[in-house]
Amino acid sequence: MYNSSSSSLKIPTSPQEEDKGEGKVYGNVLAELESVDLPLGTTLRSVYDDQPNAHKRFMEKLDARIRNHDREIEKMCNFHHQGFVDAITELLKVRADAEKLMGQVSDTNRRLQDAGREVTAQTEEVIRCRIQQRNMATTVEKLQLCIPGEMTWLYYSALKTMEQLENIYIPRVSQYRFCQIMAETLPKLREEIKEISMSDLKDFLESIRKHSDKIGETAMRQAQQHRTFNSAVQKQVTLSCAKPLYGLNSRTPLHHNGLSAEAADEEEMDEEVLTAQDLVDFSPVYRCLHIYTVLGDRETFENYYRKQRKKQARLVLQPQSNMHETVEGYRKYFNQIVGFFVVEDHILHATQGLVTRAFTDELWNMALSKIIAVLRTHSSYCNDPDLVLELKNLIVIFADTLQGYGFPVNRLFDLLFEVRDQYNETLLKKWALVFRDIFEQDNYSPIPVENEEEYKAVVSRFPFHDAEIEKQQFPKKLPMSQSVPQIYSQVKEFIYASLKFSESLHRSSTEIDDMLRKSTNLLLTRTLSSCLQNLIKKPHIGLTELVQIIINTTHLEHACKYLEDFITNITNVSPETVHTTRLYGLSTFKDARHAAEGEIYTKLNQKIDEFIQLADYEWGMAESDGRASGYLMDLINFLRSTFQVFTHLPGKVAQTACMSSCKHLATSLMQMLLDTELKQISMGAIQQFNLDVMQCERE
């Protein structure tokens, strides 16, 4: 507690003391009042108890102190007033955006709550189904302990009864003749029961051999539905991370449960899941196994079953000779194999020791080697890329199906790399025909554009940018011919087609990027390059066409970097990544351009030779005509018009062509003079020849 005597204040009584100590005393009192740590009651009581008028002076001091604080508060407010006003102004500006954002947040929250409500309901349904599935699995597991069950109970009872008769009851009355007959008959009855059960087993083996394709078809369809559903869900998750809820601005329409319509349809189709036990009655196997076990001959039964299944496996693995002609042939082949191993997987888990994991692994390894050899052989006969692509999809589904049953399938995915090479070869053959048609239909003249729409249509198909041409008024011409945007578009289509094979191969983006770049390099360096070389060598391709081909290859060469960016956008792999394959289009178009330049020089020389052959000098003329020969003037006019076409070519090419033509013309004229058949030349002929040479020099 606070001690009042120790804190009481002595109020001065004399005027001198009051003048000296009044301010100090009341200052102490006011300091105590302003403190939040001291009790106020004792302090105030000390003011009123000492003198009657002390409280008036204290009130005056208190008022002065209050006014002082008011002034300090006013100064502080004045100092911060402008900042407060600015803050309020900014807050008013933000209020409109805040209200808009609040509306968006509320709307998003509402939609999220609606979506979450359906997800919650579906989650509860999934939990309930999982519980039911677990209970059913437990029930099946317990029931399997009771196999062969009700149908085999009669055989089991009969065998137990015969055992009791033979071991217990017949020995007691063995002196009677009918008992001896019964004792002799019991072994025969056992053999009859074994034969009946074995007959049922043979019928079962024959039945599953006939229906294995149906079993495999069902299993592969379920695996495909499961893979499609997972792919659709993954795609929807990706879209939901990058786009608004409910598929706004998305190409994929959403179902009422938030999944794409395709995934929803697959989910509905997959509601009733059929298993091997739903399609096949396995009771003959269980019955025969139980009977042989009771009779102590289980090993014989196991050996027989495994031997028969090995024979059936070899039959299943034999393909039809025309399997490569249609995709249905491959599908039937895969269905039979899947059906066989689905049955074996069920027998493995439903019986105890009839087949072992080692036995199924041995069968699978044998089958896998045969399957790979068959597919490698038959796929080599396929010339249709669409058929090869469908084969790849079947192999993926086949591998996914058997992988779901625990069989290793890595070798199948390795085989797909060989099939990919075959697919690329068929694509290259197909695109070789496409390129050939494009070159044959090209008019080898600049593309005319009449208006802005036509210009944008060309630029949208091919990355062309030229500031000078863009400034020109319509109508105008683009330097390349119509084949350039067509070739560029077809290369992109090839990349898309090549990408289709890379889907579902369980490969990284970097590996897919490498595959695309390598296949594109093959298209550029082998297929397109070969088509360009053949085009340049065709006899109907003249100098004008060769000039246009050089211009075209120059623009295609500049577009290679855009193809690199196109592949990068597809695979999301940066071109700066280590070991990234580069496109070799630059060298392809450079080689084609050099070949076209060489062909220009050759054709020019051939054309000069044709004009030279028209020369008809009169080597014995008395005097010249005083003007150049007609053939030479025609040749000069031809060269003049040809060199005007060369203005669109790089300066070095035009210069080289001019020098080559002049040199060839000079050589031809010199050979004309030095011809061994020319025996005599008159002075007039020499003057005429000199005029022709001077005309060449003047031009």
Side-chain angles (χ1 to χ4, degrees), residues 220 224 227 323-335 375 378-379 382-399 416 419-420 422-424 426-427 497-505:
M220 290 184 66
Q224 183 177 11
R227 185 167 64 90
M323 183 179 70
H324 61 277
E325 296 178 357
T326 62
V327 69
E328 292 301 323
Y330 288 106
R331 181 176 286 111
K332 184 176 180 181
Y333 180 68
F334 287 136
N335 288 341
L375 293 179
H378 283 263
S379 64
C382 296
N383 296 320
D384 183 7
D386 295 332
L387 179 59
V388 179
L389 185 61
E390 291 182 354
L391 172 60
K392 166 257 174 183
N393 293 331
L394 279 177
I395 294 175
V396 171
I397 298 172
F398 173 74
L416 285 175
V419 180
R420 182 201 64 192
Q422 176 67 19
Y423 177 70
N424 286 336
T426 58
L427 285 182
S498 182
L499 179 64
K500 289 182 180 179
F501 194 92
S502 303
E503 297 174 350
S504 306
L505 290 186

Side-chain angles (χ1 to χ4, degrees), residues 559-570:
C560 284
K561 63 179 181 179
Y562 296 98
L563 290 176
E564 294 247 11
D565 296 339
F566 178 71
I567 296 176
T568 299
N569 293 333
I570 292 177

Side-chain angles (χ1 to χ4, degrees), residues 327-347:
V327 69
E328 292 301 323
Y330 288 106
R331 181 176 286 111
K332 184 176 180 181
Y333 180 68
F334 287 136
N335 288 341
Q336 291 178 347
I337 297 174
V338 170
F340 177 89
F341 283 99
V342 166
V343 170
E344 286 306 294
D345 180 78
H346 181 80
I347 294 295

Side-chain angles (χ1 to χ4, degrees), residues 423-469:
Y423 177 70
N424 286 336
E425 288 297 325
T426 58
L427 285 182
L428 293 175
K429 293 179 181 178
K430 178 180 178 180
W431 256 260
L433 298 177
V434 172
F435 291 149
R436 192 177 306 161
D437 293 339
I438 291 175
F439 290 139
E440 289 179 355
Q441 296 173 7
D442 193 11
N443 57 8
Y444 297 99
S445 60
I447 301 176
V449 286
E450 300 295 333
N451 49 48
E452 185 72 21
E453 293 182 359
E454 292 184 4
Y455 179 78
K456 290 182 178 179
V458 175
V459 174
S460 64
R461 297 168 56 200
F462 181 77
F464 174 77
H465 304 286
D466 191 310
E468 295 183 0
I469 293 180

